[in-house]
Amino acid sequence: MKLQTALGAFSGFGLVYMMVMVFTLTPVETTQGFVQKIMYIHVPSAWVGFLAFFLCFVFSIGYLWKREEKFDMLALAAAEIGEVFCAITLITGAIWGKPTWNTYWTWDARLTTTLILFLIFMGYLLLRKFIDPGEQQMRFAAVVGIIGFLDVPLIHQSVVWWRTLHQTSTFFQTNKEKVIDPNLAAMLWISVSAFTLLFIWMLLKRNGIERERRNYLRRLAEQA
Amino acid sequence: MNTWTLLKKDLQLDLRSLENFLSMLFFAVTILLLFAFALPLDDASHRLLAPGLFWVVFLLSGILNLNKLFQIEKENSCMEALLMSPISRGSIFLAKMAENMIFVLAMQVILIPLFSLFFYQDLLQHFFSVLGLSFLTCLGFSSLGTLLGGLTTDVRFKEILLPILLFPLLVPLLLASVILLKSVINGAGLGAELDWLKLLVGFDLVFALLSYLVFDYVMEF
């Protein structure tokens, strides 16, 4: 519990620090101008979103393997948080895209993959809603979590061939030429770290809430 | 052997009434008519729209069959009996998947001439290429569909949930099939888009295997 509070405080501090840095010390990008600053939310949100879905996949495997409820609760928490950050990624991307690409939406590979991923895990959460709580719910959700995540490479490959416009990833460059100013890169790393801390804190928090909720429901059922 | 017995049972039951097959087929024809009315009538735009439309009709009507796939076992607790009998879950999966494939492909055999009658004439010239492509598309569709169809059998709002779960997962399949069909219509054949063909076959193999393996977890008892 103490660790969680410390983590929360730390990520809160990180976010404030990041915001101050973004608007004061970080230089304005030359070609894109002020709008580029939204990247310090967009990029870390995308990272956290994908990380969350990956963790949901891992916890789903964990559940089917070990059959312990804690994996199911973690998978649920990861999927929910992933959806939120995925939505933030899509929205901030659209806001950035209008002045930069002159369109809110384009069927670019990474946009499309993110959207489909968002839809897949929306289905995952809906499935959980439509099944009564219990062992079956956990099992089915885990199956969908695994299948859904394994589909992502195929989806990505197919939409890359279909059409693409997005600039290549800044962090996972294959050519070593400098595409980003070191100041901006440092800022990006700070924001990614702050968001990751925030994500871990949210994951633990959501997991705790879910445990309380299930305990409560169980006690309610026992009394009835 | 078990798979064959189960498949024979399902085919026998379905062929006796044909209600699933007929409703699926006429649903497909109805959507086709809607598209014909809603979209521009000239040949040039029909040629452009045909590849995409063909697969949309396929998906929308194919999912009707998936919804009903496990419905038959719900009566008289047949599912429990099936799960208690000494048959592997994999056999049940293969039987259901084969059943779905047979009926959807049978629908395609009728749908291809109807599609060329109502929407795009030249499709019939490529009957066998389109049918072959349908087989590949159907393999991926049926494997994932059988898994998720089995999974949603007991779920509330399953008629809505199944497409919500299934269609996003099928995006690579749909893209590949549309582009391959375009290539077939243009006279270049399936070989012209070799990368897409590989992607389609890869999707089929990955998800046929994965669904076969994961099905055990869906059908626990």
Side-chain angles (χ1 to χ4, degrees):
Chain A
M1 205 61 203
K2 258 205 186 116
L3 177 86
Q4 198 177 314
T5 317
L7 203 61
F10 210 61
S11 58
F13 171 75
L15 285 178
V16 172
Y17 176 71
M18 171 198 133
M19 276 302 151
V20 171
M21 289 287 279
V22 162
F23 288 109
T24 56
L25 285 173
T26 313
V28 175
E29 218 264 355
T30 25
T31 44
Q32 296 172 22
F34 194 70
V35 70
Q36 183 269 339
K37 289 195 186 293
I38 205 170
M39 281 299 116
Y40 302 121
I41 297 181
H42 178 75
V43 175
S45 301
W47 152 250
V48 167
F50 281 93
L51 176 68
F53 292 143
F54 174 67
L55 286 180
C56 178
F57 166 70
V58 172
F59 292 137
S60 297
I61 293 179
Y63 177 76
L64 286 186
W65 186 23
K66 295 281 184 195
R67 301 297 168 113
E68 286 167 21
E69 198 179 354
K70 64 176 180 200
F71 287 115
D72 179 65
M73 291 189 291
L74 281 168
L76 167 68
E80 270 184 7
I81 301 167
E83 282 292 282
V84 172
F85 280 98
C86 206
I88 295 175
T89 309
L90 290 169
I91 293 166
T92 51
I95 296 171
W96 177 84
K98 183 64 185 169
T100 318
W101 291 341
N102 199 25
T103 173
Y104 285 113
W105 182 261
T106 168
W107 293 103
D108 155 78
R110 247 184 290 166
L111 269 72
T112 314
T113 309
T114 311
L115 179 68
I116 296 170
L117 198 59
F118 179 79
L119 289 177
I120 288 176
F121 278 89
M122 193 54 96
Y124 171 89
L125 291 177
L126 279 175
L127 176 77
R128 280 180 174 278
K129 278 252 177 302
F130 291 156
I131 313 178
D132 296 325
E135 188 270 339
Q136 196 187 41
Q137 184 195 50
M138 304 180 205
R139 203 154 31 86
F140 284 6
V143 167
V144 173
I146 291 170
I147 293 275
F149 191 81
L150 286 179
D151 204 9
V152 173
L154 280 166
I155 293 174
H156 188 71
Q157 189 55 57
S158 65
V159 287
V160 163
W161 283 343
W162 188 45
R163 54 179 58 175
T164 203
L165 175 71
H166 204 288
Q167 55 196 351
T168 49
S169 168
T170 309
F171 283 149
F172 304 104
Q173 281 288 334
T174 39
N175 66 345
K176 288 293 170 202
E177 274 177 54
K178 246 197 320 189
V179 290
I180 185 166
D181 181 82
N183 281 322
L184 302 191
M187 192 59 237
L188 216 46
W189 280 113
I190 292 173
S191 55
V192 165
S193 317
F195 268 65
T196 309
L197 281 179
L198 177 71
F199 166 67
I200 298 170
W201 176 70
M202 286 172 94
L203 187 71
L204 295 176
K205 193 86 184 161
R206 179 68 185 89
N207 183 49
I209 293 172
E210 185 63 19
R211 192 176 325 116
E212 291 294 314
R213 198 180 71 89
R214 289 188 188 183
N215 284 340
Y216 170 73
L217 286 177
R218 235 166 253 147
R219 239 176 296 145
L220 218 60
E222 275 165 23
Q223 277 171 12
Chain B
M1 202 60 216
N2 285 332
T3 308
W4 173 238
T5 315
L6 284 174
L7 179 61
K8 212 166 71 181
K9 166 198 81 98
D10 280 340
L11 286 179
Q12 217 161 34
L13 282 169
D14 270 341
L15 286 174
R16 230 171 253 163
S17 69
L18 270 183
E19 53 188 6
N20 280 348
F21 179 70
L22 286 178
S23 56
M24 178 170 69
L25 180 66
F26 282 100
F27 185 71
V29 175
T30 314
I31 310 175
L32 193 55
L33 284 186
L34 286 185
F35 278 133
F37 291 136
L39 297 171
L41 259 181
D42 56 301
D43 279 351
S45 30
H46 273 203
R47 187 188 167 83
L48 283 177
L49 294 168
L53 255 176
F54 185 77
W55 296 118
V56 171
V57 173
F58 167 87
L59 286 180
L60 289 181
S61 44
I63 204 150
L64 288 187
N65 192 272
L66 287 179
N67 264 326
K68 295 275 169 256
L69 207 52
F70 288 87
Q71 200 63 42
I72 202 165
E73 317 291 357
K74 297 271 288 178
E75 284 171 39
N76 305 325
S77 315
C78 288
M79 199 69 227
E80 282 77 6
L82 207 57
L83 291 180
M84 274 194 289
S85 58
I87 306 171
S88 76
R89 305 289 189 261
S91 302
I92 302 179
F93 174 79
L94 288 179
K96 288 291 179 190
M97 179 181 154
E99 185 203 354
N100 182 255
M101 277 190 79
I102 287 169
F103 279 104
V104 173
L105 282 176
M107 176 189 78
Q108 292 292 77
V109 170
I110 305 177
L111 194 64
I112 296 169
L114 284 177
F115 194 88
S116 58
L117 182 67
F118 290 132
F119 202 82
Y120 179 66
Q121 261 189 11
D122 293 349
L123 196 72
L124 199 55
Q125 290 171 12
H126 312 286
F127 183 81
F128 288 102
S129 322
V130 180
L131 197 62
L133 182 57
S134 292
F135 176 79
L136 290 179
T137 310
C138 199
L139 193 61
F141 174 79
S142 298
S143 42
L144 254 181
T146 306
L147 176 74
L148 293 175
L151 193 144
T152 49
T153 309
D154 286 329
V155 176
R156 274 173 282 146
F157 307 114
K158 63 167 192 284
E159 288 83 1
I160 306 203
L161 194 61
L162 183 60
I164 289 181
L165 285 175
L166 184 60
F167 287 162
L169 294 174
L170 289 181
V171 165
L173 186 84
L174 178 69
L175 282 176
S177 302
V178 167
I179 285 160
L180 286 167
L181 184 60
K182 199 191 292 170
S183 159
V184 167
I185 283 180
N186 290 337
L190 292 174
E193 297 283 356
L194 208 57
D195 279 346
W196 284 104
L197 195 61
K198 281 182 200 159
L199 184 93
L200 182 60
V201 174
F203 185 95
D204 288 348
L205 293 179
V206 168
F207 280 102
L209 192 68
L210 198 65
S211 306
Y212 176 80
L213 293 175
V214 173
F215 194 71
D216 282 15
Y217 293 108
V218 171
M219 286 294 150
E220 270 176 25
F221 179 54

